[in-house]
Amino acid sequence: SAVRGSSGGIFFNQGEVCSAGSRILVEQKVYDEFLSGLSERTRTIRVGDPLDPETYMGPVVSDEQFDRVMSYIDIGKDEGARLVTGGERLGEKGYFVQPTIFADVDNSMRIAQEEIFGPVASVIPVKDLDDAVRIANESAYGLAAAVWTRDVAKAHDAAHRLKAGTVWVNTYGATDTRSPWGGFKDSGFGRELGRQTLDLYTEYKAVWISLK
């Protein structure tokens, strides 16, 4: 489901993933229902020892990153986003951050525009597909995006218009060594994986010879 996929997209590996789905754009007609489901699922996430098979989310990588994530949570509060769940340190030992959801986020807010690299989701209401694509593309980054829809035409339309190197439909995070990986805009240039990765290791030479 969209709730499950969106949750995994941001909280997998504590959000410390280059392609983490930190902005979640939801149509207004299902916004409250989606937010309720996402919040409920988030509250069940087990945070703890990453070596414990029952753990879903471990600590962030360092004290520096912990401070960075917590500072962004403060920024989100100051910017006027609505904290729905999480937002606090978990325990007194280790760098554990509660999985956090901000609702009613405006795309101009720093928590929507800057890479937090932690378990912090920004849920943004949108009017329709056109609005969603416009907002999604209003970012300096363009590594990955996902579309959740049962409408195949909408899926193709969105995938075509989204300025992202990878677009998933009704899933999140799937990769394959045969598929090129890379981003648009500030997410870099060139591609890893797939046949296209050979270009990164190839120096092409053009030789022009006049036969006159």
Side-chain angles (χ1 to χ4, degrees):
S1 71
V3 166
R4 182 171 148 188
S6 298
S7 174
I10 181 57
F11 298 130
F12 171 73
N13 205 54
Q14 307 78 242
E16 294 178 311
V17 180
C18 59
S19 56
S22 56
R23 291 185 303 161
I24 304 173
L25 281 56
V26 185
E27 258 190 287
Q28 288 172 338
K29 64 183 179 181
V30 295
Y31 186 82
D32 292 337
E33 179 185 355
F34 176 88
L35 189 59
S36 175
L38 181 64
S39 302
E40 185 177 339
R41 182 177 181 84
T42 300
R43 292 188 185 101
T44 68
I45 290 176
R46 181 167 176 174
V47 183
D49 182 354
L51 297 179
D52 184 344
E54 298 299 315
T55 295
Y56 182 84
M57 213 180 82
V60 296
V61 70
S62 66
D63 58 344
E64 180 181 2
Q65 184 60 16
F66 173 84
D67 290 341
R68 174 183 171 84
V69 173
M70 295 308 296
S71 73
Y72 269 109
I73 291 174
D74 288 337
I75 288 169
K77 294 175 183 176
D78 292 341
E79 288 182 311
R82 176 163 60 94
L83 180 64
V84 176
T85 189
E88 302 289 341
R89 179 176 195 157
L90 191 63
E92 298 179 357
K93 185 178 180 182
Y95 308 123
F96 296 93
V97 180
Q98 291 178 338
T100 300
I101 299 173
F102 280 106
D104 306 339
V105 175
D106 186 281
N107 194 51
S108 64
M109 293 179 179
R110 288 183 62 189
I111 58 170
Q113 288 296 314
E114 299 176 17
E115 186 178 40
I116 299 174
F117 214 69
V120 181
S122 293
V123 185
I124 303 172
V126 298
K127 297 175 184 176
D128 51 26
L129 179 60
D130 289 340
D131 198 31
V133 170
R134 177 185 61 79
I135 291 173
N137 287 337
E138 287 178 352
S139 169
Y141 302 107
L143 183 58
V147 181
W148 301 90
T149 181
R150 293 175 181 171
D151 187 325
V152 175
K154 270 189 177 181
H156 281 285
D157 182 26
H160 174 69
R161 290 194 283 158
L162 286 167
K163 295 175 183 176
T166 292
V167 178
W168 294 293
V169 178
N170 296 335
T171 187
Y172 204 96
T175 58
D176 190 291
T177 55
R178 295 164 295 183
S179 180
W181 178 261
F184 295 176
K185 299 181 282 189
D186 287 357
S187 289
F189 58 89
R191 294 294 181 265
E192 299 175 284
L193 309 180
R195 178 180 54 80
Q196 290 79 3
T197 197
L198 297 176
D199 290 336
L200 293 176
Y201 301 96
T202 304
E203 291 182 326
Y204 293 100
K205 180 183 290 187
V207 178
W208 294 73
I209 301 175
S210 173
L211 299 179
K212 292 181 181 180

